[in-house]
Amino acid sequence: MDANSVVIRLERICKRFGGLQVLSDVDLEVHEGEIVGLIGPNGAGKSTLFNVMTSLYRPDRGGIYLLGKNITGLPPHKICRMGIARTFQLVRTFLKMSVLENALTAAVYGQQHGRKNALQTAMEALELVGLYEKKDMMTVHITLSDRRLLELAMSLASMPAITLLDEPMAGLNPSETQNLLRVIQRGRNERNTAVLWIEHKVNAVLDFCDRVAVLDYGLKIADGKPDEIANDPKVIEAYLGEPHA
């Protein structure tokens, strides 16, 4: 891929908590309009990597570059304004606010537009994920599936260059999962937003993503097309705990 299309680049990211090395020299690139899956066994360091990218944790070593700019260690709100949005394993929406107010908050504090076009941006994001008709409902009264869609709407309303999805399919039934996948695809197609997606449902990642990276004990052990990852002996060993015959 063209180096000029790189949205985010991680260089030799390391993170330690006390005596535990959680990330070790992780390199990763995500390109414009690309959906990249990030998989690995429990404890591999996936969510920690997201927390480093969004500056909830500062890396012990390494650099993070968004659209060519070094954002390592900047405050989370500045990183959001510069173009990174994320969702969480446990949905984080404002339950005592309406669906529209949630999206509007993201639009106001997101990048570029500020308050001027925030209402229109929020409405468009809700329309894209299929929540426009529920815009006046209080968020506490909508389903888990709709809250996950609302998190996606909030990320889109912030007008990001890249969205980090942390297990967005958790707790969803098959029909809700298929709807969520359609929304992710539509968001990428209509906004050309890059996506980095942590998911434990490996088959969904392999079927859906353009590329897949694999972490194991804080090391990136593979990075390639889904069919390459599915047949990589190191990946099979990481998940099954035994060498591939």
Side-chain angles (χ1 to χ4, degrees):
M1 290 186 174
D2 184 355
N4 293 328
S5 73
V6 175
V7 174
I8 198 161
R9 184 175 81 255
L10 311 181
E11 292 186 352
R12 298 178 65 83
I13 296 296
C14 294
K15 184 62 185 175
R16 175 187 292 273
F17 295 103
L20 180 63
Q21 187 74 40
V22 181
L23 297 170
S24 300
D25 291 325
V26 176
D27 294 325
L28 185 66
E29 288 185 352
V30 182
H31 293 250
E32 183 177 326
E34 190 177 32
I35 298 179
V36 177
L38 182 63
I39 64 174
N42 288 332
K46 304 181 296 296
S47 291
T48 298
L49 188 64
F50 270 21
N51 289 334
V52 167
M53 293 171 70
T54 53
S55 212
L56 296 181
Y57 302 148
R58 188 181 181 95
D60 298 322
R61 191 176 71 207
I64 305 163
Y65 300 87
L66 178 67
L67 300 173
K69 297 178 181 178
N70 189 340
I71 64 168
T72 313
L74 290 180
H77 70 277
K78 289 188 177 180
I79 288 175
C80 176
R81 280 198 173 271
M82 293 176 74
I84 297 182
R86 73 169 293 181
T87 68
F88 294 86
Q89 288 180 359
L90 299 177
V91 181
R92 296 189 184 181
T93 50
F94 301 106
L95 298 180
K96 294 183 179 181
M97 294 166 59
S98 72
V99 168
L100 176 57
E101 287 169 339
N102 271 266
L104 187 58
T105 300
V108 167
Y109 289 99
Q111 71 160 343
Q112 297 176 348
H113 47 72
R115 291 173 174 78
K116 185 177 180 181
N117 300 313
L119 181 59
Q120 178 182 346
T121 302
M123 293 282 206
E124 289 173 351
L126 292 176
E127 179 71 34
L128 191 150
V129 304
L131 288 179
Y132 182 82
E133 299 300 323
K134 299 180 180 180
K135 65 183 186 300
D136 296 321
M137 291 183 64
M138 296 299 291
T139 303
V140 70
H141 297 310
I142 65 176
T143 65
L144 171 64
S145 175
D146 282 345
R147 288 181 199 172
R148 291 207 177 277
L149 291 174
L150 179 55
E151 266 202 326
L152 275 176
M154 292 170 71
S155 71
L156 292 169
S158 72
M159 301 298 285
I162 184 168
T163 297
L164 311 181
L165 303 178
D166 196 346
E167 296 190 47
M169 293 159 56
L172 303 187
N173 64 38
S175 64
E176 292 168 340
T177 295
Q178 287 304 310
N179 183 53
L180 183 75
L181 292 174
R182 285 192 293 268
V183 169
I184 295 171
Q185 187 76 54
R186 186 179 176 194
R188 188 271 293 270
N189 292 344
E190 295 190 11
R191 299 289 182 88
N192 201 34
T193 302
V195 175
L196 182 59
W197 173 19
I198 292 175
E199 185 54 62
H200 277 297
K201 298 178 181 178
V202 176
N203 288 340
V205 171
L206 295 176
D207 289 341
F208 190 76
C209 293
D210 302 309
R211 185 162 54 86
V212 179
V214 187
L215 291 182
D216 188 31
Y217 293 106
L219 294 168
K220 190 178 80 170
I221 61 171
D223 187 341
K225 296 293 184 183
D227 58 342
E228 298 170 348
I229 296 302
N231 294 290
D232 188 311
K234 296 190 298 296
V235 176
I236 295 171
E237 181 177 353
Y239 275 97
L240 298 181
E242 57 187 21
H244 180 53

Short mmCIF file of all heavy atoms in Angstrom, two decimals, residues 205-227:
data_model
loop_
_atom_site.label_atom_id
_atom_site.label_comp_id
_atom_site.label_asym_id
_atom_site.label_seq_id
_atom_site.Cartn_x
_atom_site.Cartn_y
_atom_site.Cartn_z
N VAL A 205 -13.94 -12.05 12.25
CA VAL A 205 -12.83 -11.20 11.84
C VAL A 205 -12.23 -11.70 10.52
O VAL A 205 -11.96 -10.92 9.60
CB VAL A 205 -11.76 -11.13 12.94
CG1 VAL A 205 -10.50 -10.43 12.44
CG2 VAL A 205 -12.30 -10.43 14.17
N LEU A 206 -12.01 -13.01 10.45
CA LEU A 206 -11.39 -13.57 9.25
C LEU A 206 -12.31 -13.42 8.03
O LEU A 206 -11.83 -13.27 6.91
CB LEU A 206 -11.06 -15.06 9.48
CG LEU A 206 -10.00 -15.35 10.54
CD1 LEU A 206 -9.84 -16.84 10.75
CD2 LEU A 206 -8.66 -14.72 10.17
N ASP A 207 -13.62 -13.45 8.24
CA ASP A 207 -14.56 -13.31 7.13
C ASP A 207 -14.73 -11.85 6.70
O ASP A 207 -15.06 -11.58 5.54
CB ASP A 207 -15.94 -13.86 7.52
CG ASP A 207 -15.95 -15.37 7.64
OD1 ASP A 207 -15.03 -16.01 7.08
OD2 ASP A 207 -16.86 -15.91 8.29
N PHE A 208 -14.52 -10.92 7.62
CA PHE A 208 -14.96 -9.54 7.39
C PHE A 208 -13.82 -8.55 7.12
O PHE A 208 -14.00 -7.59 6.38
CB PHE A 208 -15.75 -9.08 8.63
CG PHE A 208 -16.47 -7.79 8.46
CD1 PHE A 208 -17.64 -7.70 7.74
CD2 PHE A 208 -15.98 -6.63 9.07
CE1 PHE A 208 -18.31 -6.50 7.60
CE2 PHE A 208 -16.64 -5.43 8.93
CZ PHE A 208 -17.81 -5.36 8.20
N CYS A 209 -12.65 -8.78 7.71
CA CYS A 209 -11.59 -7.77 7.69
C CYS A 209 -10.73 -7.86 6.43
O CYS A 209 -10.59 -8.91 5.82
CB CYS A 209 -10.70 -7.91 8.93
SG CYS A 209 -11.56 -7.49 10.46
N ASP A 210 -10.13 -6.74 6.07
CA ASP A 210 -9.19 -6.70 4.95
C ASP A 210 -7.86 -7.32 5.34
O ASP A 210 -7.18 -7.93 4.51
CB ASP A 210 -8.95 -5.25 4.52
CG ASP A 210 -10.23 -4.53 4.13
OD1 ASP A 210 -10.98 -5.08 3.30
OD2 ASP A 210 -10.49 -3.43 4.65
N ARG A 211 -7.50 -7.15 6.59
CA ARG A 211 -6.21 -7.63 7.10
C ARG A 211 -6.38 -7.94 8.57
O ARG A 211 -7.24 -7.38 9.24
CB ARG A 211 -5.13 -6.56 6.87
CG ARG A 211 -3.72 -6.97 7.25
CD ARG A 211 -2.69 -6.02 6.58
NE ARG A 211 -2.94 -4.64 6.86
CZ ARG A 211 -2.51 -3.99 7.95
NH1 ARG A 211 -1.79 -4.65 8.86
NH2 ARG A 211 -2.75 -2.72 8.13
N VAL A 212 -5.54 -8.85 9.09
CA VAL A 212 -5.63 -9.26 10.49
C VAL A 212 -4.23 -9.27 11.10
O VAL A 212 -3.29 -9.81 10.50
CB VAL A 212 -6.27 -10.66 10.63
CG1 VAL A 212 -6.34 -11.08 12.09
CG2 VAL A 212 -7.66 -10.68 10.00
N ALA A 213 -4.11 -8.67 12.29
CA ALA A 213 -2.87 -8.74 13.07
C ALA A 213 -3.14 -9.58 14.32
O ALA A 213 -4.25 -9.56 14.86
CB ALA A 213 -2.39 -7.35 13.46
N VAL A 214 -2.13 -10.29 14.77
CA VAL A 214 -2.29 -11.22 15.90
C VAL A 214 -1.27 -10.90 16.98
O VAL A 214 -0.07 -10.82 16.71
CB VAL A 214 -2.11 -12.69 15.45
CG1 VAL A 214 -2.45 -13.63 16.60
CG2 VAL A 214 -2.97 -12.99 14.23
N LEU A 215 -1.77 -10.73 18.21
CA LEU A 215 -0.91 -10.56 19.37
C LEU A 215 -0.93 -11.84 20.21
O LEU A 215 -1.95 -12.50 20.32
CB LEU A 215 -1.39 -9.40 20.25
CG LEU A 215 -1.26 -7.98 19.74
CD1 LEU A 215 -1.76 -6.99 20.79
CD2 LEU A 215 0.17 -7.64 19.34
N ASP A 216 0.22 -12.15 20.81
CA ASP A 216 0.31 -13.27 21.75
C ASP A 216 1.36 -12.91 22.79
O ASP A 216 2.52 -12.64 22.45
CB ASP A 216 0.71 -14.55 21.01
CG ASP A 216 0.64 -15.77 21.90
OD1 ASP A 216 -0.21 -15.79 22.82
OD2 ASP A 216 1.42 -16.72 21.68
N TYR A 217 0.94 -12.85 24.05
CA TYR A 217 1.83 -12.45 25.15
C TYR A 217 2.54 -11.13 24.84
O TYR A 217 3.73 -10.98 25.11
CB TYR A 217 2.84 -13.54 25.46
CG TYR A 217 2.23 -14.78 26.05
CD1 TYR A 217 2.11 -15.94 25.28
CD2 TYR A 217 1.77 -14.80 27.37
CE1 TYR A 217 1.53 -17.09 25.82
CE2 TYR A 217 1.20 -15.94 27.92
CZ TYR A 217 1.08 -17.08 27.14
OH TYR A 217 0.52 -18.20 27.68
N GLY A 218 1.80 -10.17 24.25
CA GLY A 218 2.35 -8.84 24.01
C GLY A 218 3.20 -8.70 22.77
O GLY A 218 3.69 -7.60 22.47
N LEU A 219 3.40 -9.79 22.04
CA LEU A 219 4.18 -9.76 20.79
C LEU A 219 3.26 -9.87 19.59
O LEU A 219 2.30 -10.65 19.61
CB LEU A 219 5.18 -10.91 20.76
CG LEU A 219 6.30 -10.91 21.79
CD1 LEU A 219 7.00 -12.26 21.80
CD2 LEU A 219 7.31 -9.80 21.48
N LYS A 220 3.54 -9.11 18.53
CA LYS A 220 2.81 -9.32 17.29
C LYS A 220 3.45 -10.49 16.55
O LYS A 220 4.61 -10.42 16.14
CB LYS A 220 2.84 -8.07 16.41
CG LYS A 220 1.89 -8.19 15.22
CD LYS A 220 1.88 -6.93 14.35
CE LYS A 220 3.08 -6.92 13.43
NZ LYS A 220 2.97 -5.84 12.41
N ILE A 221 2.69 -11.58 16.42
CA ILE A 221 3.26 -12.80 15.84
C ILE A 221 2.85 -12.99 14.38
O ILE A 221 3.40 -13.86 13.70
CB ILE A 221 2.87 -14.05 16.66
CG1 ILE A 221 1.34 -14.24 16.68
CG2 ILE A 221 3.43 -13.96 18.06
CD1 ILE A 221 0.90 -15.56 17.29
N ALA A 222 1.88 -12.20 13.90
CA ALA A 222 1.46 -12.34 12.50
C ALA A 222 0.71 -11.09 12.09
O ALA A 222 0.12 -10.39 12.91
CB ALA A 222 0.58 -13.57 12.32
N ASP A 223 0.73 -10.82 10.78
CA ASP A 223 0.03 -9.65 10.22
C ASP A 223 -0.11 -9.91 8.73
O ASP A 223 0.88 -9.98 8.01
CB ASP A 223 0.84 -8.38 10.47
CG ASP A 223 0.09 -7.11 10.08
OD1 ASP A 223 -0.88 -7.20 9.31
OD2 ASP A 223 0.49 -6.02 10.54
N GLY A 224 -1.36 -10.11 8.26
CA GLY A 224 -1.53 -10.41 6.84
C GLY A 224 -2.99 -10.57 6.46
O GLY A 224 -3.90 -10.24 7.22
N LYS A 225 -3.22 -11.07 5.25
CA LYS A 225 -4.57 -11.32 4.77
C LYS A 225 -5.23 -12.42 5.61
O LYS A 225 -4.55 -13.30 6.14
CB LYS A 225 -4.53 -11.74 3.31
CG LYS A 225 -3.98 -10.68 2.36
CD LYS A 225 -4.92 -9.48 2.28
CE LYS A 225 -4.43 -8.46 1.26
NZ LYS A 225 -5.31 -7.26 1.23
N PRO A 226 -6.55 -12.38 5.72
CA PRO A 226 -7.23 -13.36 6.58
C PRO A 226 -6.90 -14.81 6.26
O PRO A 226 -6.71 -15.61 7.19
CB PRO A 226 -8.72 -13.06 6.32
CG PRO A 226 -8.75 -11.60 6.01
CD PRO A 226 -7.49 -11.35 5.22
N ASP A 227 -6.79 -15.18 4.98
CA ASP A 227 -6.49 -16.57 4.67
C ASP A 227 -5.08 -16.96 5.08
O ASP A 227 -4.82 -18.10 5.49
CB ASP A 227 -6.72 -16.86 3.18
CG ASP A 227 -5.90 -15.98 2.27
OD1 ASP A 227 -5.41 -14.93 2.73
OD2 ASP A 227 -5.74 -16.34 1.09
#
